[in-house]
Amino acid sequence: MSATICLWSDDQFLCSICLDSFTDPVSTSCGHNFCKTCLTQYWNNNVQCVCPLCKDVFVTRPELHVNTFISELAAKFRQAAECKASSISEQPAAKPGDVQCDFCTETKLKAIMSCLKCEASFCQTHLEPHLTTARLRSHQLIHPVDNLEDRMCKKHKKPLELFCKTDQTCVCSLCPVLDHKNHEFVPLEEEYEGKKVELGKSEAEIQQKIQQRRLKIQEFKRSAKLSRKAADRENADGVQVFTALQHHVEKSKVDFIKTVEEKTSTEKQAECFITVLQQEISELMKRAAEVRQLSHSEDLLHLLQSFPYISTAPPTKDWTQVRVHPRSYEGSVVKAVAQLVETIRKEVMKLQQVQLKRVQQFAVDVTLNPDTAHPSLVLSDDAKQVCHGDAWRKVPDKPQRFDKCVRVLGKQSFSSGRFYFEVQVKGKTEWNLGVARDKIRRKGSISLSPEEGYWAVMLFNEKFLALDSPSCFVSLAKSKPEKVGVFVDYEEGLVSFYDVQAATLIFSFTSCTFTHNLVPYFSPGGKNSAPLVISAVRHTQ
């Protein structure tokens, strides 16, 4: 019951005659309530019995009976007011930063309410009259605030009760009459509610932005995590590759030294022969000394007895046909390095095969845009093939259509991320393809270069060119590719071309700066019946 009473206004429990709480309330037939004593005195002082509020006339003086329901409500209202007043605990002395009571003369107590009408703040004791005196109950009480003068009209010294929507400012009740004529006004409460709704919308928008940014943070964290994983994987692969290459280099070095050492066997053979010859020379010189000594001997018997032994030369080898041919070392280093280069080339091919598998994961569906096709080009019904026709087709001359250059663009455009597509060029003698900015010029002669917004490769006169600035010839693993893969990493500024069958990298444009959408680009070249075919990506094995 008390909770319900708290929802009613104070005026509903005040007698409109004495302006105090009902005492023995009675009701008139017109529906108004008064204190029994107040209404009786009012009728005693008037000739006619009329309602003090609506002035209804009663022909006969009504008999007054106390309205027990209103009486009980009034009693409970008084009880609730008293409980409210008594429930406010005794306030302590005001501390720095607290609002002080304006009526405390000695120790300034902490204010518990401020009155806009009185332009003052009150502690519990000095607030009591505003809770009990009928005349003061109509005053507007608010939570204690400093600078109450800021809540008063500085010109008319009255509370700010209205909001001027024209000037977007708070005004008092006199301002509309004196200073804001013909302006639109609403009560502060109404504008307050409206502004609360706007603040609620603002808060919702801010919370939405906060949520969006939190999601973006999560996205960035996921991207950073994926980037870190990719970097770790690339580091691991790189270390493995370079370790393998280092192993190949060391092995080639060992094999080279071994080969050279094996060739030094001629030197060792020559050294052996020289040793034998030196031994034979030593024996021959010894025999020569003995012969010379014997030839000077005068002992006839000794000479004749020694002659058979001395006159015969010691046994020696016939060296007439023995040869030691010098070994040639020319080209040994070149051959060893060539073998190493071939090994490294095979390792690079393996890496390119792995790289091709990775970029094929970003395959997208690409179709041709007929509105951009040169009139001499013929497109298939599924917009997957294009070839050079025998004559110009009658087609609308749209702004996006090429009129001089025999070219056509893809229908899909890309402004971020990575994408990959494959084009079959088998049987073609001339062609060029790649990607281009979606805002490139379409009319007149246009060169193919990054400056003009093209990143493309070309087959022309049996030669393969990368249309860079300047263009450059490219050596191929095979004579001509049959299927070309095109990979783009927008953020990295990378455009790479692959020979799909050979699983090798043909050419890469690096450090590109993309500021527009990119679209696939195709040109079947001269009058050759074979078409360029956008084929489905089949991942390499």
Side-chain angles (χ1 to χ4, degrees), residues 29 40 86 116 164 196 210 254 276 293 300 316 339 423 489:
S29 58
T40 301
S86 61
L116 293 179
C164 177
K196 281 188 67 176
I210 292 173
V254 172
V276 174
Q293 181 181 2
L300 299 178
T316 57
Q339 291 175 343
V423 184
D489 189 326

Side-chain angles (χ1 to χ4, degrees), residues 442-489:
R442 315 293 174 89
K443 308 301 181 183
S445 298
I446 309 166
S447 63
L448 293 172
S449 67
E451 285 74 18
E452 288 289 343
Y454 291 88
W455 292 267
V457 293
M458 169 189 288
L459 179 67
F460 182 73
N461 287 340
E462 299 297 320
K463 296 179 180 179
F464 203 87
L465 293 89
L467 302 175
D468 203 348
S469 299
S471 298
C472 58
F473 291 103
V474 178
S475 299
L476 301 175
K478 297 170 58 178
S479 57
K480 289 190 300 183
E482 296 183 354
K483 185 181 290 186
V484 176
V486 182
F487 172 71
V488 176
D489 189 326

Side-chain angles (χ1 to χ4, degrees), residues 281-541:
I281 291 173
S282 178
E283 292 294 329
L284 289 172
M285 289 179 67
K286 181 179 180 181
R287 182 59 56 87
E290 292 175 347
V291 170
R292 185 169 52 254
Q293 181 181 2
L294 186 60
S295 66
H296 290 88
S297 176
E298 295 180 355
D299 187 345
L300 299 178
L301 181 60
H302 175 69
L303 185 149
L304 293 174
Q305 290 177 341
S306 301
F307 180 80
Y309 168 74
I310 297 298
S311 62
T312 304
T316 57
K317 182 178 179 179
D318 184 6
W319 295 94
T320 305
Q321 301 300 323
V322 178
R323 296 285 187 275
V324 175
H325 300 283
R327 301 297 295 271
S328 174
Y329 294 94
E330 297 297 330
S332 298
V333 176
V334 174
K335 183 179 179 181
V337 172
Q339 291 175 343
L340 177 60
V341 169
E342 177 63 18
T343 301
I344 293 176
R345 187 188 69 81
K346 292 179 180 179
E347 291 293 331
V348 171
M349 289 183 64
K350 291 179 182 178
L351 287 176
Q352 291 179 347
Q353 290 174 355
V354 173
Q355 183 64 27
L356 180 58
K357 289 181 181 179
R358 288 181 181 175
V359 300
Q360 284 178 331
Q361 297 175 2
F362 301 98
V364 294
D365 184 29
V366 173
T367 54
L368 301 170
N369 185 353
D371 291 338
T372 65
H374 184 272
S376 66
L377 295 180
V378 179
L379 276 62
S380 62
D381 293 338
D382 62 357
K384 291 287 188 177
Q385 302 184 28
V386 57
C387 63
H388 201 296
D390 296 331
W392 280 42
R393 297 176 298 118
K394 292 183 178 180
V395 292
D397 185 18
K398 296 184 177 181
Q400 61 266 39
R401 188 182 304 281
F402 291 99
D403 63 346
K404 296 293 184 182
C405 300
V406 185
R407 301 168 186 171
V408 62
L409 300 178
K411 184 175 292 185
Q412 293 74 22
S413 64
F414 306 89
S415 59
S416 63
R418 290 168 281 190
F419 63 94
Y420 172 85
F421 61 94
E422 292 180 353
V423 184
Q424 180 179 306
V425 296
K426 184 178 180 180
K428 298 289 296 177
T429 56
E430 295 181 12
W431 54 265
N432 57 82
L433 57 88
V435 293
R437 287 197 298 261
D438 62 342
K439 301 299 182 182
I440 52 174
R441 293 189 296 116
R442 315 293 174 89
K443 308 301 181 183
S445 298
I446 309 166
S447 63
L448 293 172
S449 67
E451 285 74 18
E452 288 289 343
Y454 291 88
W455 292 267
V457 293
M458 169 189 288
L459 179 67
F460 182 73
N461 287 340
E462 299 297 320
K463 296 179 180 179
F464 203 87
L465 293 89
L467 302 175
D468 203 348
S469 299
S471 298
C472 58
F473 291 103
V474 178
S475 299
L476 301 175
K478 297 170 58 178
S479 57
K480 289 190 300 183
E482 296 183 354
K483 185 181 290 186
V484 176
V486 182
F487 172 71
V488 176
D489 189 326
Y490 195 97
E491 282 73 23
E492 289 294 327
L494 174 68
V495 182
S496 297
F497 297 85
Y498 292 86
D499 182 335
V500 177
Q501 269 68 36
T504 56
L505 178 67
I506 298 174
F507 184 81
S508 287
F509 293 90
T510 59
S511 301
C512 306
T513 301
F514 301 131
T515 55
H516 297 79
N517 288 4
L518 296 179
V519 293
Y521 154 77
F522 311 87
S523 176
K527 294 183 179 180
N528 181 285
S529 59
L532 289 178
V533 181
I534 303 172
S535 56
V537 175
R538 293 180 175 84
H539 297 282
T540 57
Q541 299 299 320

Side-chain angles (χ1 to χ4, degrees), residues 69-105:
F69 178 71
I70 299 298
S71 179
E72 290 177 0
L73 288 179
K76 290 200 176 284
F77 170 74
R78 284 193 296 273
Q79 182 180 359
E82 291 172 359
C83 290
K84 181 178 179 182
S86 61
S87 64
I88 301 177
S89 60
E90 185 177 350
Q91 298 296 303
K95 298 178 181 178
D98 290 338
V99 179
Q100 298 179 351
C101 175
D102 293 320
F103 289 85
C104 289
T105 56

Side-chain angles (χ1 to χ4, degrees), residues 203-266:
E203 182 183 6
E205 292 176 358
I206 292 172
Q207 291 297 335
Q208 183 179 7
K209 290 181 178 180
I210 292 173
Q211 184 63 21
Q212 290 173 346
R213 279 147 183 79
R214 285 175 176 169
L215 292 175
K216 186 60 69 174
I217 289 173
Q218 294 178 1
E219 177 187 337
F220 289 157
K221 286 182 177 180
R222 284 194 298 268
S223 297
K225 185 177 181 180
L226 291 175
S227 179
R228 182 69 265 169
K229 286 184 177 179
D232 293 341
R233 183 178 63 248
E234 194 70 15
N235 282 336
D237 293 345
V239 169
Q240 183 178 359
V241 169
F242 282 107
T243 301
L245 292 177
Q246 185 177 5
H247 171 73
H248 289 311
V249 171
E250 290 296 329
K251 186 176 183 302
S252 297
K253 176 182 175 183
V254 172
D255 291 344
F256 169 73
I257 294 174
K258 182 178 179 180
T259 300
V260 173
E261 289 297 327
E262 288 176 351
K263 288 186 177 182
T264 60
S265 60
T266 300

